[in-house]
Amino acid sequence: MGRPEGLLRQLNYVVKKKEAEIEDMCKTHYEEFIKAVDELRGVLVDAEELKSDLQSGNFKLQQVGTNLLVNLEELFESYSIKQNVTEAIIMSKNCIEVLELCVKCNNHITDGQFYPAIKTLDLIQRSYMKNIPARALKLVIEKRIPIIKWHIEKRVNSQVNEWMVHIRSSCKNIGQTAISRAVSDRQRDEELMERQRKAEDQNVVGVEERVYTLDVDEDDEDSAMKFDLTPLYRACHIYGCLGILEQFHVYYFTNRSAQLKSDLEISSSQSFVESYQTFLAQIVGYFIVEDRVLRTGGGLLVPDQVDNMWETAITRLTLLLNAQFSQMKSATNHLKVKEYVTLLSWSLLQYGYDIESLLDVVDNNRDKFHLLLMAECREQTIEALNHDTYELMVIKKESDYESNVLSFGLQTTDIMPAFPYVAPFSSMVPEMCQIVKSFIKSCVDYLSYGARDYFFDVVIRYLNNFLIEVINETLLNTINSSNISVSHAMQIAANFTSLERACDFFLKNAAQQSGIPLRFIDKSQMTLSAKAVLQTSRDATYITLLGLVNAEIDEYMNLTESVTLWTTEETKQNGNEYISELILYLDSLMSTAQQVLPLDAMYKVGIGALEHINNTIISAFLSDSVKRFNATSVMNIGVDLKLLENFADERFYSSGLEGMYKASSFRDCLVESKQLINLLSSSQPENFMNPVIREKNYYALDYKKVSTICDKFKDSADGIFGSLSNKNTKQTAKKKSMEVLKKRLKDFN
């Protein structure tokens, strides 16, 4: 082996040991020792030979062993390399598998397949991390796995954010589609109710078979309602795999709440009236989406969170709508917004949301709406009044008759008249009826689908208010204006009658639109309180009309300013100058009244005018301006009265009033003046004091008035009455009788 030193040391040791033994032996066996030395010497020679042989053998062994040792070292080295290579191969395979999984994970992430990527990462962590032989690789992978998970989380968040942006932009369409469905449902319900109501009114048998039908819609959901929640579901799954699902729940709720807060802010660039549909549709869409997320999100939202978001939205919407309603100046806009709010409520009610607060907003702003509506209708009423010609409406064809008369219940008979037909009202009446009809519709539209199920009483209350405070008040203001003419007042009085007749139509129209069967109205004999108010206003209009007529009569009969009328000596066979113009005026007045007014109203006008003429004549005799009068003036006024009586009789009988008013004719209105003229013309005026004669011939005269008038009757020779003196004995007797009457009246008074 090339190491002889050890052998030599062993040999030296053996030599020394043996020498000691030899010495001992020599001492013991000296001779034998000598002999042994001799032998040893021989052995030494042999040893030298052996040593030489060993060295030679060793040399030869060294020569042969060197090659073998080289080969052995090479063998050991090859074996070590083989082991290292084997281990390296195993390690490389492990590293390759890990790296292949890393590449696979990267590819999944690149392709957006986050779930397989996460599962790959979990596999690396669970099965390979402990067996990765390369420390550097292991450290890199350990460092990269959290980064990759964070990257996946960000990518998922990015997708969720994109979905949130998309779903927010889609909420408007979702809400509009839901509201369109609500409109369709409402129209279908209204049509069903209308068919039911008509069937009930007509007592149709078998209503159920013909009214209650099932409409099956074969179509799937509208495309707008098929919104995709897949990104949300995927995100929930990914976050669950990452073990941070609760974090995603918080993230989703926080961001959607922020979106809701933004959605609840109205645009400053547009008015609310222009943007309310988009605004409210966005809210509807938002909560439809949240309802779907609640039901299908696997715990992404809990009911309390949705309730909190809805409560936030309701609070904001309530404040906003109250503020906007309070600022609105248009009933039309108010109604449009209300309609959309109720549609919003109806849409979200289908998803289980509490809508009472929204309906309360609608109900609380009801009076505000009706004030605006009444103001707008007042303007329309005034405009209709301003455009009216105050002439009877002439209808030339049947379609006009249906639209202007039958459609508002203004007909006085069920028989279709001949055309052209002169209606008993002016054009303002059908226009006002149309205004009232639209008012009723607006009222019903506002009150329907609100907080109240039964709102007919409210409609009637508003209808009465409108008829009284707008229609009635507007007409009364016109009547009480300073520039109203007799013809205009007469036409308005006639229009009051027509509007009063239309009240029954208004009541039934309100019932129909409110879903109340007409048989209920007929059975209850219900009427509008405004009808009585219109009647009262009509009577007040007659009073105003009579006042206008009396004022014009006063212009014709200015008796007290004409001195010659009371002191004339000229007998006028055709009456005084004013009487012909007065009768012409009365004839025109009564002709117009006969055309425009009902017979009872015409009778009132005639009675009022003639009574005023009678009172004017009596007042003229009593006036301080008339100091005295003579027999000729009495005779002339008597002629005037005769002409007036003839006119009164002719009008009374030609108008067909004798059948209605047998107890009192037009002539009877002049009886006081007639009896006064008869008394002053009587040859024995003192008979007035005879109760029997007075009851028969002078029952309408008052003692004090007769006394005052008789004191002014001067038919003597002195003063301006001198021409009447010394006529004849008969006149003297009449004069004496008058004096007796004067004296007795003074005594009586």
Side-chain angles (χ1 to χ4, degrees):
M1 294 178 65
R3 292 193 294 273
E5 293 80 7
L7 178 62
L8 293 176
R9 282 193 301 271
Q10 290 292 332
L11 291 176
N12 289 329
Y13 173 75
V14 171
V15 170
K16 288 179 180 181
K17 183 177 180 182
K18 293 301 182 181
E19 284 179 351
E21 290 178 356
I22 290 171
E23 184 177 355
D24 291 334
M25 288 297 293
C26 285
K27 288 178 179 179
T28 305
H29 307 287
Y30 180 78
E31 292 179 358
E32 292 178 357
F33 178 74
I34 294 299
K35 185 179 178 179
V37 169
D38 291 338
E39 291 178 357
L40 182 60
R41 288 182 184 274
V43 172
L44 182 62
V45 173
D46 292 337
E48 287 295 331
E49 291 177 356
L50 181 61
K51 180 178 179 181
S52 176
D53 290 339
L54 285 173
Q55 288 178 345
S56 175
N58 180 59
F59 177 76
K60 292 179 180 179
L61 182 61
Q62 288 289 339
Q63 286 181 334
V64 175
T66 300
N67 292 331
L68 291 176
L69 286 174
V70 171
N71 292 334
L72 182 60
E73 288 179 355
E74 289 178 355
L75 178 61
F76 283 150
E77 183 177 357
S78 296
Y79 179 76
S80 176
I81 291 172
K82 178 183 177 182
Q83 284 185 328
N84 291 337
V85 169
T86 301
E87 291 179 3
I89 290 173
I90 294 173
M91 293 171 61
S92 297
K93 286 182 178 179
N94 290 337
C95 292
I96 288 172
E97 289 181 5
V98 172
L99 292 174
E100 285 178 348
L101 290 175
C102 292
V103 171
K104 187 177 180 181
C105 179
N106 285 339
N107 292 335
H108 286 321
I109 294 173
T110 302
D111 295 338
Q113 299 176 349
F114 301 123
Y115 175 69
I118 293 174
K119 298 305 289 183
T120 302
L121 291 176
D122 289 343
L123 180 61
I124 292 173
Q125 284 183 303
R126 184 177 62 255
S127 303
Y128 289 91
M129 284 299 295
K130 295 180 180 179
N131 299 323
I132 295 177
R135 177 176 174 80
L137 178 61
K138 183 176 182 180
L139 292 176
V140 169
I141 293 176
E142 286 179 345
K143 182 178 180 181
R144 293 298 296 176
I145 285 177
I147 297 175
I148 292 172
K149 289 185 176 181
W150 179 83
H151 176 72
I152 292 174
E153 179 184 343
K154 292 302 178 184
R155 286 282 299 276
V156 171
N157 280 350
S158 177
Q159 291 182 355
V160 171
N161 291 338
E162 290 176 2
W163 176 85
M164 285 186 179
V165 172
H166 169 73
I167 203 67
R168 185 183 185 189
S169 63
S170 301
C171 281
K172 180 183 73 174
N173 294 333
I174 295 170
Q176 289 174 340
T177 302
I179 289 174
S180 298
R181 285 184 176 182
V183 172
S184 300
D185 292 343
R186 177 179 295 185
Q187 290 174 345
R188 186 164 56 250
D189 291 344
E190 289 176 350
E191 291 171 0
L192 179 61
M193 290 176 62
E194 182 64 23
R195 291 199 299 270
Q196 286 179 296
R197 186 165 56 248
K198 288 182 178 179
E200 290 175 358
D201 290 338
Q202 297 171 3
N203 294 321
V204 175
V205 179
V207 172
E208 289 77 5
E209 288 80 8
R210 305 195 319 116
V211 174
Y212 294 98
T213 59
L214 178 62
D215 297 329
V216 180
D217 190 358
E218 299 294 339
D219 297 332
D220 293 331
E221 286 186 310
D222 296 326
S223 59
M225 303 300 288
K226 296 179 180 178
F227 49 88
D228 186 16
L229 296 182
T230 302
L232 208 56
Y233 300 148
R234 184 186 300 119
C236 286
H237 186 56
I238 297 301
Y239 268 84
C241 293
L242 292 173
I244 51 174
L245 183 58
E246 187 62 31
Q247 176 182 327
F248 180 68
H249 289 178
V250 174
Y251 178 82
Y252 177 82
F253 179 73
T254 302
N255 282 272
R256 285 294 280 167
S257 298
Q259 283 188 338
L260 176 61
K261 183 178 180 181
S262 177
D263 290 341
L264 289 171
E265 296 296 330
I266 60 175
S267 173
S268 58
S269 60
Q270 283 183 308
S271 66
F272 183 74
V273 173
E274 295 173 339
S275 62
Y276 73 91
Q277 291 188 355
T278 302
F279 172 76
L280 295 177
Q282 183 76 20
I283 302 303
V284 173
Y286 178 93
F287 282 101
I288 290 176
V289 171
E290 294 312 299
D291 176 75
R292 181 82 61 85
V293 172
L294 175 64
R295 289 186 290 108
T296 64
L300 178 57
L301 283 179
V302 296
D304 287 345
Q305 289 176 317
V306 177
D307 291 342
N308 289 338
M309 289 192 290
W310 177 242
E311 187 64 31
T312 300
I314 281 292
T315 302
R316 173 61 181 159
L317 282 175
T318 301
L319 294 174
L320 175 65
L321 290 173
N322 279 324
Q324 293 297 329
F325 279 142
S326 66
Q327 296 171 9
M328 284 185 183
K329 305 299 181 183
S330 168
T332 303
N333 293 336
H334 198 124
L335 180 58
K336 287 180 179 178
V337 175
K338 172 267 167 188
E339 193 70 14
Y340 221 76
V341 170
T342 55
L343 288 173
L344 176 150
S345 303
W346 178 263
S347 300
L348 292 179
L349 181 62
Q350 312 307 311
Y351 295 89
Y353 291 101
D354 183 8
I355 60 171
E356 288 301 317
S357 297
L358 288 177
L359 297 181
D360 287 343
V361 172
V362 171
D363 200 45
N364 293 337
N365 285 277
R366 184 183 65 199
D367 291 337
K368 166 70 174 177
F369 165 74
H370 284 91
L371 288 176
L372 292 175
L373 182 61
M374 288 179 67
E376 289 184 1
C377 291
R378 187 189 300 275
E379 292 179 1
Q380 297 172 11
T381 302
I382 294 173
E383 184 177 356
L385 199 60
N386 292 336
H387 291 166
D388 194 35
T389 59
Y390 293 94
E391 297 177 356
L392 294 176
M393 191 174 183
V394 179
I395 300 175
K396 298 181 179 180
K397 52 186 178 180
E398 184 175 344
S399 60
D400 292 341
Y401 182 80
E402 291 177 352
S403 61
N404 291 294
V405 180
L406 295 179
S407 61
F408 303 117
L410 297 174
Q411 68 275 15
T412 56
T413 177
D414 294 334
I415 301 174
M416 183 66 69
F419 297 100
Y421 167 73
V422 180
F425 49 79
S426 64
S427 61
M428 77 166 73
V429 172
E431 289 185 26
M432 287 185 177
C433 288
Q434 185 60 48
I435 293 171
V436 176
K437 188 175 179 180
S438 66
F439 177 85
I440 294 172
K441 185 178 186 310
S442 296
C443 286
V444 173
D445 288 344
Y446 191 92
L447 293 171
S448 59
Y449 301 99
R452 295 175 177 268
D453 294 329
Y454 182 79
F455 53 84
F456 178 58
D457 291 341
V458 182
V459 174
I460 294 303
R461 175 161 60 86
Y462 283 124
L463 176 58
N464 278 319
N465 290 344
F466 176 69
L467 290 173
I468 294 171
E469 297 178 13
V470 176
I471 300 295
N472 181 70
E473 185 178 315
T474 302
L475 291 175
L476 284 181
N477 289 340
T478 304
I479 284 294
N480 295 327
S481 63
S482 58
N483 57 349
I484 188 73
S485 65
V486 171
S487 61
H488 287 188
M490 193 178 296
Q491 188 60 65
I492 290 177
N495 291 346
F496 264 121
T497 301
S498 298
L499 290 171
E500 176 190 339
R501 185 180 298 114
C503 282
D504 294 334
F505 164 78
F506 297 149
L507 178 61
K508 292 181 178 180
N509 182 259
Q512 284 181 325
Q513 296 202 43
S514 302
I516 305 299
L518 293 180
R519 57 185 174 79
F520 171 78
I521 303 299
D522 296 335
K523 184 177 180 180
S524 63
Q525 297 182 343
M526 185 178 181
T527 58
L528 294 175
S529 60
K531 188 173 183 178
V533 176
L534 290 173
Q535 290 175 346
T536 303
S537 298
R538 180 198 61 192
D539 295 338
T541 303
Y542 287 148
I543 295 173
T544 302
L545 172 61
L546 292 177
L548 295 172
V549 170
N550 294 343
E552 295 199 6
I553 290 175
D554 289 341
E555 293 181 6
Y556 291 106
M557 295 184 65
N558 199 356
L559 303 180
T560 59
E561 294 184 3
S562 176
V563 178
T564 57
L565 186 145
W566 303 101
T567 60
T568 183
E569 296 293 336
E570 179 184 357
T571 302
K572 298 179 180 179
Q573 299 297 326
N574 296 322
N576 290 301
E577 295 177 357
Y578 72 88
I579 195 62
S580 58
E581 294 181 0
L582 177 60
I583 290 176
L584 286 175
Y585 170 73
L586 291 175
D587 182 64
S588 174
L589 174 69
M590 297 306 293
S591 297
T592 304
Q594 188 172 1
Q595 290 180 351
V596 175
L597 300 176
L599 279 179
D600 59 337
M602 173 198 168
Y603 176 77
K604 291 179 181 178
V605 171
I607 289 291
L610 292 172
E611 284 181 348
H612 183 69
I613 291 173
N614 173 79
N615 294 334
T616 300
I617 293 174
I618 298 297
S619 297
F621 276 106
L622 292 170
S623 174
D624 293 338
S625 300
V626 179
K627 302 299 183 182
R628 60 183 65 188
F629 58 89
N630 58 22
T632 305
S633 64
V634 172
M635 189 183 303
N636 291 338
I637 292 176
V639 174
D640 296 343
L641 285 173
K642 184 63 178 176
L643 294 173
L644 286 171
E645 285 178 332
N646 293 338
F647 168 79
D649 289 340
E650 188 274 330
R651 273 295 173 185
F652 185 76
Y653 293 105
S654 65
S655 302
L657 294 172
E658 72 277 5
M660 298 174 59
Y661 302 98
K662 296 179 180 180
S664 178
S665 67
F666 286 162
R667 171 189 284 267
D668 296 334
C669 298
L670 302 171
V671 65
E672 184 180 11
S673 298
K674 185 64 176 177
Q675 289 181 2
L676 177 61
I677 297 301
N678 290 341
L679 175 61
L680 296 176
S681 303
S682 173
S683 59
Q684 293 182 320
E686 62 181 306
N687 288 340
F688 176 76
M689 301 306 294
N690 185 322
V692 176
I693 296 176
R694 185 176 67 253
E695 184 65 28
K696 179 180 179 181
N697 298 327
Y698 307 113
Y699 57 85
L701 297 178
D702 178 72
Y703 279 101
K704 291 184 179 181
K705 291 181 180 179
V706 171
S707 176
T708 302
I709 293 170
C710 287
D711 285 341
K712 296 181 180 182
F713 185 54
K714 305 296 183 182
D715 199 15
S716 61
D718 31 358
I720 61 174
F721 293 94
S723 58
L724 298 176
S725 61
N726 301 321
K727 289 282 183 177
N728 50 44
T729 306
K730 186 176 181 179
Q731 289 178 328
T732 303
K734 175 182 177 181
K735 181 179 179 181
K736 289 181 179 180
S737 179
M738 180 59 72
E739 293 299 327
V740 171
L741 175 61
K742 291 179 182 179
K743 184 177 183 304
R744 295 184 64 182
L745 286 172
K746 287 181 179 179
D747 294 340
F748 179 81
N749 290 334

